[in-house]
Amino acid sequence: MKVDLLVRNAVIVTVDDATPRAHALAVHRGRVFALDPDGVSAHAEIDAQGAAVVPGFGDAHNHMAWFGASLDEVDLAGLTDLRALYDRVAQRAAALAPDAFVIGSGYDDTAIGGHPHRRELDRAAGGRPVVLKHRSGHVTTVNSTVLDRIGVLDGSAVVPEGGVVVRDEAGEPTGTLEEQAQNLVSALLVPYATDDLARAVGNAAAVYAAEGLTHVTECGIGGGWIGRSPRELAAYQQARDAGTLTVRVQLMPASDALHPVAGHASDPGGIGLDLGVRTGFGDDRLRIGPMKIFTDGSLVARTAAMREPFCDRHGHGYLQEDPEVLRSRILGAHATGWRVAAHAIGDRAIDLALDAFEEMLRAHPRPGARPRIEHAAVTSPEQVARMARLGVTPVPQPRFLYEIGDTMVEAVGPDRAAALYRHASFLRAGLRVPGSSDRPVAAGAPLLGMQSMVQRMSASGAVIGPDERVDAATALRAYTLDAAWIAGEERERGSLTPGKLADFVLLSDDVTAVAPERIGEVEVLATFVGGRCVHGAEQVGAEQVGA
């Protein structure tokens, strides 16, 4: 038989326990045809020359449109003082029209010595409106021009429940808006043009393919402070039609986009999208995923809802909404057939999510519900056991430990540090732990995430929760098969198994064999989606993969 593509002379790590290793991979009609086949020829062949081949990487929690848009914004990531931030704002402002918005992203108040102040931003931007997004996404800082437009300065603004307008000791607004208060600013910017969103998605996809990603879950579209347009799904369709959406995507609508849906008297009451569209609608390239609901905020921004107060600030954080409202949203979405993803970082928010999950599963039992907690940042042993009993999947972000682990330890204190972004404890309880990044909050390259799973090292060199470390093979499984499982697609992808989609990556080294500190340095040579090379054709020979 003659197949479409044959990759030979490779070190293949299949992530399939039935056949863990192989040396050749045959691909036909977009799917894995065979491993180490005999008597097979191919229209195109690749001599891997000893390179490693692994399943395509998945990211179970990222923000693709946000990241893609940030590529055109003022880059504030990595700054270590406020003066540098104000200089970057001034540089961008000087190139803009007098009434144009200066939009920046990625600043970290814990690294630069505090949040920017509105009056300094006024001077830097020459009166132009300024909107700066915190790296967490849970805080936005603006200047006086914006505060005036949204009614904060004259007192006419109505601050949404679960939001805070930060004020100084004299009661004056500083320009910083937390959580739901960001919606006041979003109203000035949203909706983004569909063409712009489609371009942002395409730009993000090019970066993702270069990092070996073949599938990502976009966590929050269509509404709330996380959404960019009520037509956000159309932007992904447009990018797909244009050929720039080179990775598979599952989309989570934000709960703000859902609403009561009329139906027959025998249909369960609840919330959803028009026509009853729900989780699972779409195909293997673009599909509707779970409903996303925010229950609390951010550990870095100290807005997460905690049982005990933060060690470096007064307060326990707060919930995004009245607990009964959050409960009813979760129950209502589940009742209409949605899978539910609850953003819950603090242990108090996790308690709320678990209570609601237990109630919804009791009221409407449904096989394959697979409820998930996004981040699950601070968990007690009792919560871990309860998650296992209910079948709730945690979706933590291991790269946080390196990039913002030190400030998170300051937030919770050394006695609670071992509870941060667990991994091994979840596995011991019988849970799966899918790999994810929360990009652009942290670097999204899966190999960096795997390295953090293995090392759990912060930027200062501290090891956070050493008992939560896992080996490299487990880390690889998290970013492949387990990421596919939480998306409900483990039968279609996640391992190099005959019959599954031919999504795979050529790597310069076997990540399960190199030293832990070298995992993030492994080079992505080429990325294939459905047997088609979407990155690195020049590395493997463009003429070889064009068939």
Side-chain angles (χ1 to χ4, degrees), residues 93-107:
L96 297 175
D99 59 346
F101 275 82
V102 180
I103 300 178
S105 59
Y107 85 86

Side-chain angles (χ1 to χ4, degrees), residues 166-430:
V166 177
R167 299 178 181 274
D168 60 22
E169 294 180 354
E172 289 293 313
T174 65
T176 297
L177 309 171
E178 295 180 353
E179 303 298 344
Q180 297 296 327
Q182 296 177 103
N183 287 328
L184 298 171
V185 178
S186 296
L188 301 178
L189 303 173
V190 173
Y192 288 81
T194 303
D195 287 349
D196 292 342
L197 285 174
R199 184 168 53 253
V201 167
N203 291 340
V207 175
Y208 291 5
E211 296 172 345
L213 283 161
T214 58
H215 185 281
V216 298
T217 296
E218 162 70 274
C219 290
I221 66 167
W225 60 263
I226 198 71
R228 282 163 165 68
S229 170
R231 299 185 180 186
E232 205 157 354
L233 171 57
Y236 284 85
Q237 291 180 295
Q238 184 171 317
R240 176 181 175 168
D241 292 344
T244 58
L245 186 63
T246 52
V247 299
R248 305 181 194 276
V249 180
Q250 188 171 95
L251 300 165
M252 282 189 192
S255 62
D256 307 73
L258 276 65
H259 55 80
V261 179
H264 189 270
S266 64
D267 294 333
I271 56 176
L273 296 177
D274 291 332
L275 303 178
V277 173
R278 58 175 175 83
T279 302
F281 183 79
D283 58 21
D284 59 35
R285 300 294 305 213
L286 188 61
R287 179 170 288 156
I288 300 294
M291 177 273 290
K292 168 79 173 289
I293 179 170
F294 287 92
T295 67
D296 72 343
S298 162
L299 200 56
V300 176
R302 309 307 193 258
T303 57
M306 304 288 289
R307 292 175 176 175
E308 302 295 330
F310 293 109
C311 291
D312 56 354
R313 298 185 194 178
H314 295 298
H316 298 68
Y318 49 89
L319 297 171
Q320 291 275 304
E321 184 56 273
D322 180 89
E324 181 54 33
V325 172
L326 297 175
R327 169 188 164 276
S328 65
R329 284 180 186 165
I330 291 174
L331 269 61
H334 175 77
T336 53
W338 285 85
R339 291 175 57 211
V340 180
H343 166 113
I345 285 183
D347 45 11
R348 182 158 58 98
I350 291 170
D351 281 336
L352 183 149
L354 291 176
D355 287 346
F357 285 158
E358 184 162 16
E359 184 177 355
M360 78 179 196
L361 293 171
R362 184 172 59 248
H364 297 285
R366 189 172 76 239
R370 295 186 188 180
R372 46 191 282 176
I373 293 183
E374 308 307 301
H375 310 298
V378 184
T379 52
S380 67
E382 294 76 17
Q383 287 176 323
V384 173
R386 190 179 181 198
M387 290 169 69
R389 178 171 60 83
L390 294 174
V392 175
T393 301
V395 187
Q397 289 69 47
R399 195 60 185 173
F400 282 6
L401 297 170
Y402 179 81
E403 297 194 14
I404 49 181
D406 291 321
T407 186
M408 291 193 299
V409 171
E410 292 174 359
V412 301
D415 293 341
R416 289 184 285 175
L420 289 169
Y421 291 89
R422 297 181 188 271
H423 195 152
S425 290
F426 292 136
L427 295 177
R428 286 191 292 267

Side-chain angles (χ1 to χ4, degrees), residues 39-40 44 68 87 117 119 128 135 140 212 224 261 292 332 337 361 364-365 402 448 487:
V40 169
D87 286 346
H117 196 280
R119 291 196 175 89
R128 295 172 181 82
R135 69 174 301 168
T140 298
V261 179
K292 168 79 173 289
L361 293 171
H364 297 285
Y402 179 81
L448 292 176

Side-chain angles (χ1 to χ4, degrees), residues 22-189:
H23 296 287
L25 172 70
V27 175
H28 193 58
R29 295 185 178 178
R31 293 184 179 266
V32 176
F33 178 75
L35 298 167
D36 293 334
D38 291 326
V40 169
S41 61
H43 294 287
E45 289 194 13
I46 295 173
D47 181 357
Q49 301 180 16
V53 174
V54 299
F57 301 139
D59 189 331
H61 183 119
N62 96 118
H63 301 282
M64 192 173 190
W66 173 10
F67 169 70
S70 73
L71 297 175
D72 293 326
E73 296 170 351
V74 182
D75 183 9
L76 305 176
L79 297 183
T80 57
D81 65 80
L82 281 165
R83 184 183 300 276
L85 180 146
Y86 296 135
D87 286 346
R88 289 199 182 180
V89 169
Q91 290 169 8
R92 176 60 63 89
L96 297 175
D99 59 346
F101 275 82
V102 180
I103 300 178
S105 59
Y107 85 86
D108 186 342
D109 64 303
T110 66
I112 61 178
H115 293 283
H117 196 280
R118 65 178 173 100
R119 291 196 175 89
E120 293 297 328
L121 293 175
D122 293 341
R123 283 190 280 271
R128 295 172 181 82
V130 179
V131 177
L132 305 183
K133 305 167 190 175
H134 191 269
R135 69 174 301 168
S136 68
H138 290 259
V139 175
T140 298
T141 295
V142 301
N143 67 344
S144 301
T145 303
V146 175
L147 289 181
D148 183 51
R149 292 190 186 183
I150 63 178
V152 168
L153 295 185
D154 66 10
S156 63
V158 178
V159 181
E161 179 78 20
V164 173
V165 174
V166 177
R167 299 178 181 274
D168 60 22
E169 294 180 354
E172 289 293 313
T174 65
T176 297
L177 309 171
E178 295 180 353
E179 303 298 344
Q180 297 296 327
Q182 296 177 103
N183 287 328
L184 298 171
V185 178
S186 296
L188 301 178
L189 303 173

Side-chain angles (χ1 to χ4, degrees), residues 469-521:
R469 290 179 291 196
V470 298
D471 61 26
T474 301
L476 176 62
R477 181 176 292 266
Y479 275 95
T480 54
L481 190 56
D482 288 344
W485 183 87
I486 192 55
E489 299 174 359
E490 71 277 12
R491 295 183 179 179
E492 287 291 300
R493 57 182 182 83
S495 65
L496 296 177
T497 302
K500 287 191 177 184
L501 294 165
D503 298 352
F504 60 94
V505 186
L506 270 70
L507 301 174
S508 60
D509 288 289
D510 177 359
V511 293
T512 67
V514 301
E517 65 273 14
R518 288 194 54 231
I519 294 175
E521 299 172 359

